[in-house]
């Protein structure tokens, strides 16, 4: 009986102890579940790359434009946009029919002017000059005859072998011939004066015709549009800028000054990059550049900063500066006027002490982090150096291997009891 009672007492005691142990375990587990779990990261040493990311547009470095020198119609097109061309290669022709007609007319004008000049240099029209010369010779012969006759009449009159009336008739005839001779001399002089004026006019006409012919021949040559350099014909559009304009085709009307084609060596291009004003101070010529394009999502083109901006301007809601980046394009994959993404590597720090950027907080000019010390958080001020998109350089306040709390759903504070889980 006593043995049975003792057994019951031991059983009750065992059950009581077991219940107490289970209760304690349950309370501990409940308390542990009430401690928030947070993500943590280690302070590490690594290379810290600082980059500026922006957008840009691809451009030829040395584009050569071809403009129309005529107002006419496109006659024929011999190439297509994107084709490789050689210097002097025929690209297209413009309709030169009106120029040829005008050229023929001016050539005829030149021949006429040259003939008129030759006539004027000969003293005038040959028949008029010949007639005056003939009349002058006749008048001179008659005048000589009358003078000889007068001398004879003077001698006869002195011998009373001739009459005064005969002498007077001779004088009248001689006066008439001399008057005719003077008139013919004046006519000859007038012909010479007129010939000189005609020669001057003909010379001017011939000069004008030659100038016109030269200009028309240049226009006729300009009707043949050729490639100015070796390269790629990246635009074949009327008035095309940045890929705009209508494609050049036969029968299209063009005006003087209209841009018809653009040719450039596209093995090296430049990217006009738009960098926000706060980042401009980080830029320097020669910095490495990476270019990506959505059309080739897994490909990268490398280049360098060729020119940093000297001013800023508004672009939409941004204030930006234009950075020119020289980029290698050996396979001619980057096309003019396409929009690309640009990353400029402005700084590369080796063996830098870093902490995730999200772990760093600011209060005015001060920076701080929450360091995991055992199972509690401790607020600690730090000194920050260079900042990248994901990392901050630590110049003081932390050591390699320290654990810092990362932001999450739990509001971090000094002294908070936590269950830290290292971020992978």
């Amino acid at each position: 009986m006593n043995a049975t009672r003792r057994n019951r007492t031991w059983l009750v005691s065992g059950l009581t102890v077991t219940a107490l142990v289970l209760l304690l375990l349950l309370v501990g587990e409940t308390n542990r579940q009430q401690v928030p779990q947070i993500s943590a990261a280690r302070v590490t040493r690594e290379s810290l790359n600082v980059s500026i990311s922006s957008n840009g547009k691809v451009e030829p470095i040395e584009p050569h434009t071809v403009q129309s020198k005529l107002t006419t119609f496109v006659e024929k097109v011999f190439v297509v946009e994107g084709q490789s061309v050689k210097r002097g290669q025929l690209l297209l022709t413009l309709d030169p029919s009106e120029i040829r007609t005008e050229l023929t007319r001016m050539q005829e004008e030149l021949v006429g002017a040259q003939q008129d000049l030759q006539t004027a240099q000969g003293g005038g029209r040959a028949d008029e000059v010949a007639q005056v010369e003939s009349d002058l010779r006749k008048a001179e012969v008659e005048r000589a005859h009358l003078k000889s006759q007068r001398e004879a009449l003077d001698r006869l009159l002195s011998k009373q072998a001739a009459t005064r009336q005969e002498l007077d008739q001779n004088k009248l005839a001689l006066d008439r011939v001399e008057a005719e001779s003077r008139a013919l001399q004046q006519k000859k002089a007038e012909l010479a004066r007129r010939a000189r004026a005609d020669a001057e006019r003909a010379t001017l006409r011939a000069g004008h015709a030659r100038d016109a012919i030269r200009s028309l021949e240049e226009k006729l040559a300009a009707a043949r549009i050729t490639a100015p350099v070796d390269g790629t014909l990246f635009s074949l559009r009327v008035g095309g800028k940045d890929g705009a304009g209508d494609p050049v085709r036969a029968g299209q009307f063009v005006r003087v000054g209209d841009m018809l084609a653009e040719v450039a060596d596209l093995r090296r291009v430049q990217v006009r990059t738009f960098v926000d004003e706060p980042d401009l101070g980080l830029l320097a010529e020669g910095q490495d550049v990476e270019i990506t394009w959505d059309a080739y999502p897994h490909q990268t083109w490398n280049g360098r900063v060729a020119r940093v901006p000297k001013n800023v301007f508004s672009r939409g809601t941004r204030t930006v500066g234009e950075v020119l980046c020289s980029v290698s394009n050996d396979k001619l994959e980057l096309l003019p006027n396409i929009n690309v993404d640009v990353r400029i590597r402005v700084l590369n720090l080796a063996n830098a002490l870093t902490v995730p950027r999200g772990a760093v907080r600011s209060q005015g000019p001060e920076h701080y982090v929450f360091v995991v010390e055992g199972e509690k958080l401790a607020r600690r001020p730090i000194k920050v150096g260079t900042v990248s998109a994901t990392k901050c350089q630590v110049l003081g306040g932390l050591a390699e291997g320290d654990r810092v709390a990362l932001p999450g759903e739990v509001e971090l504070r000094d002294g908070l009891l936590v269950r830290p889980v290292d971020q992978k």
Side-chain angles (χ1 to χ4, degrees):
M1 188 70 176
N2 290 333
T4 301
R5 187 179 295 111
R6 283 197 299 273
N7 289 338
R8 287 179 179 176
T9 300
W10 282 108
L11 179 59
V12 171
S13 298
L15 291 174
T16 301
V17 171
T18 301
L20 288 173
V21 171
L22 291 175
L23 181 61
L24 290 173
L25 290 174
L26 181 61
V27 170
E29 180 64 25
T30 301
N31 289 337
R32 188 167 63 179
Q33 289 179 353
Q34 291 177 347
V35 175
Q37 178 177 301
I38 64 164
S39 297
R42 297 282 181 180
V43 178
T44 59
R45 288 195 175 274
E46 58 184 298
S47 294
L48 183 61
N49 296 314
V50 181
S51 301
I52 297 174
S53 296
S54 187
N55 62 308
K57 178 172 286 189
V58 176
E59 301 175 347
I61 293 179
E62 293 184 9
H64 296 264
T65 61
V66 180
Q67 294 178 308
S68 175
K69 297 181 180 179
L70 307 176
T71 297
T72 184
F73 294 90
V74 177
E75 187 177 53
K76 292 182 180 179
V77 180
F78 300 95
V79 289
V80 295
E81 200 170 75
Q83 179 177 333
S84 294
V85 295
K86 294 292 185 180
R87 180 175 182 176
Q89 181 177 340
L90 185 61
L91 306 180
L92 57 108
T93 56
L94 304 179
D95 183 6
S97 55
E98 291 187 5
I99 299 172
R100 287 200 180 102
T101 300
E102 182 65 12
L103 180 59
T104 300
R105 189 182 74 81
M106 292 311 300
Q107 287 171 338
E108 292 173 351
E109 175 68 15
L110 177 60
V111 171
Q114 289 173 333
Q115 289 175 345
D116 290 346
L117 179 60
Q118 185 177 4
T119 298
Q121 288 174 338
R125 284 176 48 186
D127 56 342
E128 288 183 338
V129 173
Q131 184 63 49
V132 170
E133 291 289 348
S134 175
D135 291 345
L136 275 172
R137 285 193 297 271
K138 289 179 181 178
E140 194 62 32
V141 169
E142 186 176 0
R143 179 172 173 272
H145 171 71
L146 290 172
K147 288 183 71 175
S148 177
Q149 188 181 43
R150 179 174 180 174
E151 291 174 357
L153 286 173
D154 284 338
R155 288 193 301 271
L156 291 173
L157 182 62
S158 63
K159 296 177 181 181
Q160 296 183 348
T163 64
R164 172 62 62 179
Q165 185 179 6
E166 289 176 326
L167 187 62
D168 291 342
Q169 289 176 348
N170 175 270
K171 182 177 181 305
L172 289 173
L174 184 59
D175 290 343
R176 177 183 58 77
V177 170
E178 287 181 345
E180 290 178 357
S181 180
R182 287 194 296 273
L184 290 170
Q185 290 289 351
Q186 289 177 354
K187 185 174 182 180
K188 182 179 180 181
E190 176 62 21
L191 286 176
R193 184 195 64 77
R194 194 169 66 188
R196 287 193 297 271
D198 289 345
E200 290 177 0
R201 286 193 293 269
T203 299
L204 290 175
R205 284 173 52 210
H208 173 73
R210 289 191 188 94
D211 291 341
I213 289 171
R214 189 180 305 112
S215 176
L216 290 167
E217 287 175 342
E218 290 175 356
K219 289 182 178 180
L220 193 61
R224 292 173 54 85
I225 307 297
T226 59
V229 294
D230 294 351
T232 301
L233 179 68
F234 66 90
S235 175
L236 188 63
R237 295 172 180 269
V238 177
K241 287 297 266 186
D242 296 335
D246 297 324
V248 176
R249 63 186 184 279
Q252 190 167 27
F253 182 73
V254 296
R255 294 180 175 84
V256 172
D258 281 351
M259 189 173 73
L260 302 178
E262 288 186 281
V263 181
D265 183 356
L266 298 183
R267 289 173 297 180
R268 289 200 66 81
V269 295
Q270 67 183 18
V271 176
R272 191 174 298 272
T273 306
F274 308 102
V275 176
D276 292 315
E277 182 180 356
D279 295 327
L280 295 180
L282 300 174
L283 295 171
E285 292 182 3
Q287 290 172 334
D288 292 335
V289 175
E290 291 182 356
I291 305 296
T292 55
W293 182 26
D294 291 343
Y296 293 89
H298 303 296
Q299 189 165 341
T300 301
W301 292 265
N302 297 316
R304 292 187 179 276
V305 173
R307 191 176 74 193
V308 297
K310 304 300 181 184
N311 61 349
V312 295
F313 62 95
S314 296
R315 183 177 172 85
T317 59
R318 301 164 59 193
T319 301
V320 300
E322 287 188 348
V323 182
L324 293 183
C325 305
S326 175
V327 181
S328 177
N329 187 34
D330 291 335
K331 296 182 180 179
L332 307 179
E333 293 166 323
L334 292 176
L335 308 178
N337 304 315
I338 63 170
N339 295 307
V340 294
D341 294 318
V342 183
R343 176 177 293 177
I344 304 173
R345 298 191 178 277
V346 297
L347 190 62
N348 186 3
L349 296 176
N351 199 33
L353 189 65
T354 66
V355 67
R357 183 171 179 173
V360 180
R361 302 183 175 217
S362 300
Q363 187 172 11
E366 304 296 328
H367 297 88
Y368 64 93
V369 295
F370 288 105
V371 179
V372 179
E373 295 181 347
E375 295 183 346
K376 290 185 178 181
L377 298 183
R379 173 171 167 162
R380 186 181 299 178
I382 64 171
K383 187 176 180 181
V384 173
T386 300
V387 179
S388 73
T390 58
K391 297 284 186 176
C392 287
Q393 181 189 18
V394 179
L395 300 179
L398 292 173
E400 185 177 2
D402 285 347
R403 298 170 78 195
V404 295
L406 298 174
E409 296 180 357
V410 178
E411 182 180 354
L412 305 180
R413 64 180 183 275
D414 190 33
L416 179 66
L417 188 65
V418 295
R419 287 189 293 124
V421 177
D422 285 341
Q423 187 182 54
K424 296 181 180 180

